[in-house]
């Protein structure tokens, strides 16, 4: 079956690797690549440039015109550090301004994309949606503390994914939601922290894209959200 795919945050390294692998799939005939300014030259890819405020997200989604049923969606949003904004190592480092920035990028914006994309996902065909979360967002797995805003924003995203899944099980039974932990990937997001990564645990964007696509292929549309990592292992919420 021919299908369309939607990639939000298409300027990121992992998103670009996902797009390259989608291009190579015969069934994937259209890729709607949404970003703040990334261009693509392949005939399968339609580049859509927009801002990420709610009005722009709503307008962009209202103008989308998938040619085929949407079978795969990747919401690759996220921020860990930006200039003086860094993960907090102790509670004295918490600031309201930085916390709000992190929550907006990691929780609010991905949730808005799912909100406005949902009308395009409802069909009789399965549609699998991956939102980029992180293992650090697991409340039950938190043994180290620190990184307050990033950790809390990903936990909040996980709750949004769970809650969206409850509603979509009634309203869009063909949609499966996945909160995905890509592992530590060799991208600008992880660059300042790569020295502490164990040998063999710093992944290429291409590897992560391969793992995610194969994970989506095996997931069943069951009316529940899943929280899983790059190695296809379940993470406790």
């Amino acid at each position: 079956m021919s299908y369309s795919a939607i990639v939000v945050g298409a300027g990121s390294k992992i998103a670009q690797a996902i797009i390259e692998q989608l291009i190579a799939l015969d069934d994937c005939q259209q890729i709607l690549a949404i970003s703040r300014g990334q261009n693509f030259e392949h005939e399968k890819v339609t580049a859509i440039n927009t801002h990420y405020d709610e009005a722009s997200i709503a307008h962009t989604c209202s103008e989308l015109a998938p040619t085929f049923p949407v079978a795969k969606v990747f919401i690759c949003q996220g921020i860990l550090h930006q200039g003086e904004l860094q993960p907090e190592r102790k509670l004295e480092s918490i600031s309201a301004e930085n916390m709000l920035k992190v929550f907006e990028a990691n929780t609010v914006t991905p949730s808005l994309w799912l909100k406005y994309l949902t009308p395009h996902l409802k069909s009789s065909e399965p549609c699998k949606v991956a939102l980029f979360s992180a293992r650090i967002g697991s409340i039950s797995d938190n043994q180290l503390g620190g990184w307050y805003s990033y950790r809390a924003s990903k936990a909040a995203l996980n709750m949004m994914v769970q809650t969206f899944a409850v509603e979509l099980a009634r309203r869009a039974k063909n949609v499966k939601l996945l909160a995905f932990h890509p592992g530590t990937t060799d991208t600008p997001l992880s660059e300042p922290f790569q020295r502490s990564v164990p040998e063999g645990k710093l992944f290429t964007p291409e590897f992560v894209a391969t793992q995610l696509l194969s994970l989506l292929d095996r997931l069943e549309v069951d009316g529940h959200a899943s929280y899983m990592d790059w190695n296809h292992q379940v993470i406790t919420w």
Side-chain angles (χ1 to χ4, degrees):
M1 181 198 78
S2 295
Y3 66 85
S4 296
I6 299 173
V7 182
V8 178
S12 75
K13 295 295 184 182
I14 297 176
Q16 291 180 46
I18 290 169
I19 290 168
E20 288 299 319
Q21 294 188 27
L22 288 172
I23 287 171
L25 298 176
D26 291 338
D27 290 348
C28 184
Q29 290 295 306
Q30 181 189 39
I31 304 160
L32 302 173
I34 301 170
S35 74
R36 289 187 174 93
Q38 187 72 33
N39 292 315
F40 299 89
E41 296 182 355
H42 196 276
E43 60 184 7
K44 283 188 180 182
V45 184
T46 301
I48 301 166
N49 297 330
T50 186
H51 299 291
Y52 287 3
D53 59 277
E54 183 167 6
S56 298
I57 292 171
H59 176 73
T60 297
C61 292
S62 70
E63 295 291 310
L64 287 182
T67 305
F68 305 96
V70 177
K72 293 183 173 69
V73 179
F74 305 87
I75 300 179
C76 308
Q77 234 69 55
I79 185 174
L80 174 57
H81 58 88
Q82 188 178 76
E84 294 183 0
L85 189 161
Q86 297 292 326
E88 310 95 339
R89 298 183 183 278
K90 55 186 179 180
L91 62 87
E92 287 85 357
S93 301
I94 296 171
S95 85
E97 181 181 2
N98 286 345
M99 182 173 278
L100 288 170
K101 286 181 182 177
V102 173
F103 267 79
E104 181 177 21
N106 292 346
T107 310
V108 177
T109 301
S111 298
L112 290 174
W113 279 113
L114 186 57
K115 168 187 173 179
Y116 289 106
L117 284 172
T118 293
H120 297 291
L121 313 185
K122 297 179 182 180
S123 77
S124 59
E125 301 296 335
C127 177
K128 298 172 183 179
V129 182
L131 297 97
F132 276 52
S133 182
R135 188 184 304 277
I136 201 171
S138 168
I139 293 175
S140 57
D141 190 52
N142 182 1
Q143 305 297 321
L144 298 176
W147 289 38
Y148 287 90
S149 297
Y150 186 76
R151 188 184 293 278
S153 68
K154 292 298 188 179
L157 176 65
N158 290 345
M159 179 57 82
M160 295 298 289
V161 171
Q162 278 273 36
T163 309
F164 278 128
V166 172
E167 182 172 351
L168 294 180
R170 300 191 299 266
R171 296 180 52 195
K173 296 180 183 296
N174 66 305
V175 175
K176 169 71 175 181
L177 298 184
L178 167 69
F180 177 66
H181 169 60
T184 304
T185 311
D186 189 9
T187 67
L189 182 141
S190 71
E191 189 172 359
F193 312 100
Q194 291 179 5
R195 283 180 293 180
S196 62
V197 178
E199 185 175 354
K201 293 297 185 180
L202 180 63
F203 306 132
T204 66
E206 292 74 21
F207 171 78
V208 173
T210 298
Q211 293 299 101
L212 175 53
L213 285 168
S214 62
L215 174 57
L216 288 182
D217 285 343
R218 60 175 280 199
L219 286 179
E220 297 292 331
V221 180
D222 57 5
H224 299 283
S226 294
Y227 183 21
M228 302 181 74
D229 69 9
W230 58 272
N231 200 29
H232 299 189
Q233 300 300 304
V234 172
I235 305 172
T236 57
W237 297 93

